[in-house]
Amino acid sequence: MSQYGSFKDFYPFYLGEHSNLVCRRLHFAGTTGVVVIAGLVVAQILPLVWLWAIPVCGYGFAWVGHFFFEKNRPATFKYPFYSLLGDWVMYKDMLTGKIRI
């Protein structure tokens, strides 16, 4: 059972796991890649087979950031749903300037 009763409780922990600027930038790049790939598939510029690249891009960039720069274990291993939501909220916070990238 999760020690976090809500995403609101989880998000400060999630941000603490992303204190390294390079790690956050890699998350930003991976999430941007996910958006671009999904958009190109929806626009039928890329064929549906490209959907396999979405998790590879998103998790690939993020995990490099965690293992090589943040030097921690990605929160997705223990909190997969909150972590995925956390990535999108952090992405929004980076786009709006609330979090530095």
Side-chain angles (χ1 to χ4, degrees):
M1 195 76 179
S2 174
Q3 73 186 53
Y4 299 101
S6 69
F7 178 73
K8 183 180 177 182
D9 295 335
F10 172 80
Y11 192 55
F13 161 76
Y14 183 82
L15 290 177
E17 296 290 293
H18 298 85
S19 61
N20 180 279
L21 183 59
V22 175
C23 180
R24 284 197 312 272
R25 286 177 176 168
L26 286 167
H27 271 68
F28 188 85
T31 303
T32 300
V34 165
V35 170
V36 168
I37 294 165
L40 293 173
V41 169
V42 167
Q44 298 181 343
I45 295 168
L46 291 176
L48 282 174
V49 71
W50 274 86
L51 290 176
W52 68 267
I54 288 176
V56 172
C57 182
Y59 286 116
F61 278 91
W63 290 358
V64 166
H66 283 286
F67 294 130
F68 295 102
F69 297 96
E70 196 73 55
K71 302 209 187 306
N72 64 12
R73 188 174 168 187
T76 194
F77 294 150
K78 193 167 183 182
Y79 307 102
F81 299 111
Y82 279 166
S83 181
L84 181 61
L85 180 56
D87 190 52
W88 288 103
V89 172
M90 185 172 70
Y91 187 69
K92 184 253 325 163
D93 287 346
M94 288 187 282
L95 282 173
T96 60
K98 188 174 180 181
I99 295 175
R100 182 174 174 236
I101 55 170

